[in-house]
Amino acid sequence: MSELNHHNDDALVFLDELNPEHLPNIDLKKPSWRIMIIDDDPDVHSATMFALGNLEIQNRSLSFLHAYSASEARDILSSESDIAVILLDVVMEEEDAGLNLVNYVRKNLGLNDVRIILRTGQPGYAPEIDAIRDYDINDYKTKSELTRTKLYTTVTSAIRSYEQICSIIASQRGLELIVNASTELMSLKGLQNFSTGVLHQISKLLGKNIEGFVCSPLDDAQNAESSATLLAIATSNSFSNLNGLMLDKLENNHIQQQLEKSVTSRQSIFGDSDSVLRFENVAQKDIYVFLQTGVSEMDKRLIDVFCSNISVGLNNVMLTSRLHKYAYFDPLTGLANRLKLLQTLSEALQSGNEKGIVLSLVDIDHFAETNDALGHQFGDMLLCAVAKRLLSHFGTSCHLARVGGDTFALLGSESLVSPENISKVFHLPFDVDNQDVQLSATIGLVRLENYAGGSADALKDTNIALKRAKAHQRASYSYFTVDMGVEIRERVRMMHALRAAFENERLFVVYQPQIDMRTKSAVGAEALLRWKTEDGTFVPPDQFIPIAEYSGLIVDIGEWVMRSACFELKQLHDLGYIELKMAVNVSQAQFSHPLFLQSLERALSESRAPANCVELEITESMAMTDPELLIKTLLHIKQLGVQVSIDDFGTGFSSLSHLQKLNVDKLKIDRAFVNEINETSDEGSIAKMIVQLSKSLNIKVIAEGVETERQAQTLMSFGCHLAQGYLYARPLTKDDLRSWLAKSVN
Ligand code: C2E
Ligand code: CA
Ligand code: CA
């Protein structure tokens, strides 16, 4: 190695060229470029340092690391970082020690940025050109070539290239991180999560764990006046005690000063050991991020890009959280809406913690009437008052939502969400617009434990329970049971099937003769609806008529039955049965429909059926609801000449005086009372009473469901002569009715 030393001495000692005046003005704040000298000859080390010692590249001085063997170099390299250039002796312990080390640096340590300059004492030791390329060796010089000037230029260009590589790698890494950070941040909802994400992403971006916090003005005021008005919205570990606090609580003057500087100068502040990033006008406010770290020039650029990305992102976040708010919250009361409730509900159902959890719907009684009577504004205030009361009773311990106009939902433990507790909320009157308003509510509940359905089903089933409670009586409650669900779902299924059947003309009308028992001659017929499904089975009217009524389908279907009956009546009259009457059943929903009279008139005029032979059968319970409307409608009907009878008489609650006012033409004794007349008893006291009643009111009476001769005889003995029943005829199709009439008359 001695000859190398000699060369080195020659090549590297240029003391005379050192000129103190040329000593660079080094900015001490900036880290120096780290140069590693690996050479088994100590003289080479000192000579190199001597040659490069005062060199300054881009205002940064050089500092040196020394290794005297390849193995020592390995140790140093695996613990040190940011080494810009390695000046490496090719031949050390072994002939190829240098190249092996290069391999180790690039492959094993994965250091691709560090520039490597190989030095060899003799040209003969030159590595293969392939090695130079494969190992990304910056330069290869014989030591004799490396005069001070040459060493200077070689190292300078190596450092430049190192810097470039670093910035490319950094910006690649940075861009990648920024892109990842942005997408990750975008998925976070709300400012708080977003801010926590920002801290996390900055740490990732700068490649080290950074402590800090994010703060913004408390109000939506765009600019903070002073750092004291800032509120910490997200913090890293060491600042966690600051979370949610105003920064005037911060017991650190220095941090406060830094923030103050940023607030007043409206700029980001970069100090030696900490930084304040300022995000301007993001989502209507400025946001400040305090970081407990200095930031290098290069990192500043990264952070710049990051910040502008974040600003856009944060604006989006705020936009999405506003959208989120619109999508999930009820603007009137500020409570969660139906969608939000469904979300919470499905979380509850999926969590497996639904034991003892109850979902309840609370429906305010008579809200629609109140709303109509006192105006929508009053109605809104009422709802807000209810929301507020519910919130103060259940707010912190239950999920509360407004899921419909006057329907609230509560989700929580059984001990809290109980009919008793909910009813309590309504005990005291509500103060609305300085008026005391006494409200009551109907409550439907579902126990989520062992609940099989999803969240939407649970809500529907609670609704079913609510409807059930409403149907029974106001201001009551009902827990959902499985049967209710089965029943209701079956009803819904049937409703769809019925609509399809009506559209596809699978409904038809049959006619059951009504006779005078004394002469056995036909006096009329009752039109009865039939539904034959596609597979040929009949659905009993007792099953589908209530569904048609419930769904409103009865209005169209009923009109069609009426028209069919009128046309059939006309044809029968044309056939010569001119005394024949036609009874048609009319439901409440039809009857109270505003176009009912019109459709009746049209059926009469278009069929040219005689009005006085048409008889509408209304039920006794109908006669009891809304008597005003009934009396008015009946008056119109009678003016047309159409007759009215009360069906199923005796099952309702009509009072005698009421009956008189209705001015009906006929009472129809319910089958149940006819049934009382049997082999063991021929009492039939109710039937008898009804007959007497009709006599005293001077109206006609007919018995339905007459199945036996005994019943017929008994009824006649009471003075009832008209009847309808299997004893005489079942309901018949049009054609069968005609044959039956042909046979029965005479
Ligand atoms: P409803 O008006 O009381 O009709 C009389 C029911 O008693 C009919 O049942 C009829 O077939 C049955 N019936 C007649 N005689 C006897 C008998 O001797 N023994 C027995 N066990 N039953 C007898 P259906 O046709 O099943 O109708 C049931 C109910 O469906 C009707 O009761 C009526 O409330 C309703 N309905 C039928 N068609 C219509 C319609 O077109 N419109 C409306 N709104 N309701 C209808
Ligand atoms: Ca009837
Ligand atoms: Ca009846």
Side-chain angles (χ1 to χ4, degrees), residues 99-100 102-104 106-107 114-116 130-138:
L99 275 184
N100 285 341
V102 172
N103 182 51
Y104 180 77
R106 295 288 191 232
K107 298 275 154 74
V114 61
R115 299 296 83 208
I116 299 175
D130 285 355
I132 290 178
R133 194 190 57 218
D134 290 351
Y135 295 136
D136 185 20
I137 290 167
N138 226 47

Side-chain angles (χ1 to χ4, degrees), residues 526 585 617 647 668:
E526 179 182 7
N585 294 286
E617 291 191 3
D647 204 354
K668 215 171 172 184

Side-chain angles (χ1 to χ4, degrees), residues 512 526 528-530 541-542 545 554 561 585-587 590 617 647-648 671 704-707 725-726 731:
Q512 185 177 30
E526 179 182 7
L528 293 163
L529 189 59
R530 292 290 176 266
D542 289 331
I545 296 284
I554 194 67
V561 171
N585 294 286
V586 177
S587 295
Q590 277 174 280
E617 291 191 3
D647 204 354
D648 306 338
R671 195 166 72 229
E704 72 178 338
V706 179
E707 293 182 356
Y726 293 171

Side-chain angles (χ1 to χ4, degrees), residues 4 237 301 321 330 383 385 459 490 508 519 579 638 676:
L4 287 178
N237 281 343
R301 286 204 298 275
S321 49
D330 165 41
L383 290 172
L459 192 56
E490 176 57 20
F508 62 100
T519 61
E579 296 293 317
K638 311 251 14 177
E676 281 182 358

Side-chain angles (χ1 to χ4, degrees), residues 265-281:
S265 69
R266 301 181 161 213
Q267 275 177 347
S268 294
I269 303 292
F270 295 100
D272 293 343
S273 58
D274 49 36
S275 325
V276 179
L277 310 181
R278 180 173 180 271
F279 297 78
E280 193 174 311
N281 190 15

Side-chain angles (χ1 to χ4, degrees), residues 7-21:
H7 281 288
N8 286 343
D9 290 346
D10 279 354
L12 297 171
V13 180
F14 305 99
L15 270 172
D16 54 331
E17 287 179 38
L18 260 180
N19 184 341
E21 282 171 32

